[in-house]
Amino acid sequence: MRRSAAPSQLQGNPFKKPKFIPPARSNPSLNEEITKLNPDIKLFEVATSKTFLQSQNDPRKCSLNLLPTEESAREINHGDNYRGKYCFEACAMATLGPHHTVHSATKEITVSKGQEEEPAGLVKYFSVVWCKASKKKHKKWEGDAVLIVKGKSFTLKNLEGKDIGRGIGYKFRELEKIEEGQTMMIGGKEIEVMGIISPDDFSSGRCFQLGGKSPAISNFCQAAKKCFSNPLKSVYKPSSKENRQNSFCKCKPRHDPCAPNSLVMLRPDSRHQWMFNTNCFPLVDVVIDPHLVCHLRPHQKEGIRFLYECVMGFRVNDRYGAILADEMGLGKTIQCISLIWTLQCQGPYGGKPVIKKTLIVTPGSLVNNWRKEFQKWLGSERIKIFAVGQDHKIEEFTKSPFYSVLIISYEMLLRSLDQVKNIKFDLLICDEGHRLKNSAVKTTAALVSLSCEKRIILTGTPVQNDLQEFFALIDFVNPGILGPLSSYRKIYEEPIILSRQPSASEEEKELGERRAAELTCLTGLFILRRTQEVINKYLPPKIENVVFCQPAALQIELYRKLLNSRAVRFCLQGLLENSPHLICIGALKKLCNHPCLLFNSIKEKECSSSWDKNEERSLYEGLINVFPADYNPFMFTEEESGKLQVLSKLLAVIRELCPAEKVVLVSNYTQTLNILQEVCKRHGYAYTRLDGQTPVSQRQQIVDSFNSKYSSDFIFLLSSKAGGVGLNLIGGSHLILYDIDWNPATDIQAMSRVWRDGQKHPVHIYRLLTTGTIEEKIYQRQISKQDLSGAVVDLTKTSEHTQFSVEELKNLFTLHESSHCVTHDLLDCECSGGKDHTGDALEKFPISRSCQLGPHPQKSHSLKPLSMAQLKQWKHFSGDHLSLTDPFLERIRENVSFFFQNITNQTTAI
Ligand SMILES: Nc1ncnc2c1ncn2[C@@H]1O[C@H](COP(=O)(O)OP(=O)(O)OP(=O)(O)O)[C@@H](O)[C@H]1O
Ligand SMILES: [Mg+2]
């Protein structure tokens, strides 16, 4: 019998020992075994189904009948061989003539009669190739698989992790004898054992990766950190003396690798040289331009090394992608600029540049930021970059050989994809690339179609702890590295998720953890994430405050009324399917920002034709009567909103105490920004504004102007969702988050705009929350959902805010009027937190109380959302505490029921 090879045979199965037995040859040792076997007719029982099947295969062979898959069952159970409940396999070895060559598959594996004791926990794993049972002479191995033998049972999994055969109730003594080279029938499939898999390789999932069609991630981390003794000797084969002399002259490193503080890239290993240095150029050190190196922080140097090794394919064979996921503000831009500049001028083989053209795709608001950063670090002479904009059409880039870097927004890329496709790019950088987490979206498809191998994703926003989104990002930078999605789900996602279920068995937990660890290990080769801590020492102090603002009387009255509405009561009945809970939540959030926003919504709805059937009617019914009869939303007052009162006082005190400092004022809603803008006007504060409506072409100009020390703007009104990502707003040193988002990442994004490299002043951050309301609940949800996994990346899942249990809704729709801070009440803190007690307690125990002591020793300065436990370590006090040392808080205390405060880089703070 001749069989064509399965993928692993073609590629070389790493689990297969050298002693390979070709399909058509017998295994003598097994033949010996076989002759010892009982020649009697064997009964094969498929334990689960209690169905016995007769092999349709060579009658001389015994079947090891695993539970047949539907497919195999169909194949086997045709015709009259099927005996219903009991079938017999006529497999008498004695009937075989001496001339018959017997495959190891003829080894009989019989059903246990129950006398044998199964050694506890004995599990063996084998890499096998399989094909459907057939009588054909020329069989074809159909695929690689993993055979798991546990005690008396078997499972056969294909390399996508799917079960393709299963059976129990066999004699474990015989199972013990399975060995390499053996062929056998299982579940209607013929298999050949190619090798033994270690438990470690199975539990890590590596055997699935390496077994066959999955890409080889064989040469994991570069062992080649060591320098070659004499690289030139090993690869350089000059054809003549002259040639050699010429080459040597040309092949000097561009910068001196031995100079003090030089940053020299890793040299390629021999495999890489063999693959890529086909012309046998001498090896040349790639050295980062000292002009750049003198500015680089240590983590940035490390980041450049990492990027270089990834895109050169040093870290994973034949893969050229990387994800740089440094937290916000760590300088991902300068790391990429250094890489581009280096690869464009240098290369390890004869010094020849590795890339010619680079494409940078970025959110619209950052196109010009990239251009500016290039200019900042490289000046305008070294490198010619082209930023696509209204006045800079992509045609210019196409026509001119002059430019080597094209910067384009995601939106523009989609519009001009055909033109972009015509240009050959050697390096693709996707800034804020977490948007590629869905492979079905157009942008991802467009970028994939560019067929550029060297791909880098930059993201400061945590890669969400969603294993499928994670897959999409990985698969984008290094296509196919985790195999197809279906196998990834079986091998990684399912076991990992299963292991996290409360009901998971110890075995499931262990497997899930191992798979997660393996996934981290695989992907860790080309994902780099550093936290804020690495840069803290270069930054000024940061004083973060969570300010619980007392709601105004009008707000409380309206809030009560909303909670008593038919709509809210309906939500609490538990009929969640058509529940208008999102509308109710939206209304409460608006009310917290300012009652006039709610007033506007009611009026709008009243005028709309759908008002009668609208669920909002049941929410807003009677609400308008709570407003004064002559209420004019355009004439809103600050006193009508607790937060607005606090904001107004805060702006005044900043203006007074730090006249040279500026404020970034953030909201997620355009309508709220309108109110805040009106407040600026009323107080005569010069402001500028950036939201979703701001034309992309103007954004950088607005940012630059605000950051300029000559700017008279006092306030930068920012819609964080619309345009906050990636912006540098270091001109501002006070940042006020006026409202809260369900997703902590949105708020962290906003907060990171000011506390970043280049900031000169201590940074003050104020998060305003209305005491006892839904805003506190959202905040609690943000902080209690901390660090759900740690499984693959250190990152936290976005709070899902559309699904709530009735219990959660009850909690959301409660107003805590008597509490000074519900969040503190939940902290289980030693101090009462109450107005009277806090004041006394602070004076009595100013230092010893754990809740007052500021930073926790293990507190992380990373930008991960805060946890409840961490919050408890923050300094906290009620608004009427006698002596507030912070002059800003002192001024707003009248309207504040509670504060939390934390200071990072405390030395020179306030
Ligand atoms: N080594 C450095 N020395 C001085 N300033 C630096 C350095 N590295 C970066 N910066 C500055 O720090 C600011 C933040 O850098 P950058 O915009 O690259 O951050 P990022 O990592 O992309 O953050 P985000 O995720 O928010 O986009 C920029 O103004 C940049 O010029
Ligand atoms: Mg950035």
Side-chain angles (χ1 to χ4, degrees), residues 529-741:
R529 179 163 178 86
R530 277 79 57 88
T531 59
Q532 187 76 38
E533 274 143 332
V534 300
I535 203 179
N536 278 1
K537 60 174 180 273
Y538 305 107
L539 297 181
K542 176 174 73 164
I543 304 109
E544 256 180 287
N545 301 287
V546 186
V547 180
F548 294 81
C549 309
Q550 280 161 348
L554 179 62
Q555 282 176 308
I556 296 180
E557 211 177 327
L558 286 163
Y559 209 102
R560 285 189 200 134
K561 189 99 184 149
L562 275 174
L563 294 187
N564 271 323
S565 67
R566 272 194 297 135
V568 169
R569 287 205 306 270
F570 180 76
C571 295
L572 299 181
Q573 280 167 8
L575 307 165
L576 284 174
E577 256 184 25
N578 300 313
S579 157
H581 60 279
L582 292 180
I583 299 173
C584 300
I585 291 170
L588 292 173
K589 288 179 79 184
K590 273 186 192 162
L591 175 56
C592 289
N593 280 1
H594 200 286
C596 73
L597 294 169
L598 189 62
F599 186 89
N600 285 338
S601 296
I602 301 169
K603 286 287 169 197
E604 243 172 58
K605 289 294 155 195
E606 272 180 357
C607 300
S608 109
S609 53
S610 59
W611 167 247
D612 278 344
K613 38 189 162 71
N614 205 304
E615 297 126 338
E616 280 173 294
R617 185 183 181 134
S618 64
L619 179 66
Y620 295 150
E621 242 167 9
L623 216 56
I624 207 81
N625 303 329
V626 181
F627 287 92
D630 56 348
Y631 190 79
N632 179 353
F634 300 107
M635 304 296 287
F636 68 85
T637 68
E638 286 161 14
E639 288 69 37
E640 287 158 2
S641 158
K643 284 199 299 183
L644 199 59
Q645 266 177 298
V646 169
L647 174 75
S648 173
K649 288 185 178 174
L650 206 46
L651 293 176
V653 66
I654 296 169
R655 191 72 166 155
E656 185 188 317
L657 299 181
C658 322
E661 294 184 24
K662 299 178 208 169
V663 180
V664 178
L665 185 47
V666 188
S667 169
N668 294 306
Y669 305 98
T670 317
Q671 289 172 351
T672 303
L673 277 182
N674 293 343
I675 292 180
L676 304 182
Q677 184 171 325
E678 180 59 26
V679 170
C680 292
K681 278 189 195 160
R682 287 183 191 176
H683 290 273
Y685 299 140
Y687 64 89
T688 187
R689 174 168 169 161
L690 193 152
D691 61 24
Q693 309 293 311
T694 314
V696 168
S697 55
Q698 288 173 19
R699 293 185 178 193
Q700 189 59 38
Q701 207 184 330
I702 294 172
V703 169
D704 290 347
S705 145
F706 177 74
N707 286 338
S708 155
K709 60 179 175 205
Y710 303 110
S711 153
S712 57
D713 289 331
F714 171 48
I715 291 169
F716 191 104
L717 294 165
L718 174 70
S719 157
S720 62
K721 271 190 182 165
V725 289
L727 291 183
N728 289 308
L729 293 173
I730 48 173
S733 52
H734 297 256
L735 182 131
I736 304 171
L737 289 172
Y738 191 77
D739 40 51
I740 182 162
D741 194 71

Side-chain angles (χ1 to χ4, degrees), residues 332-333 431-432 726:
K332 293 183 280 297
T333 323
D431 193 14
E432 304 296 341

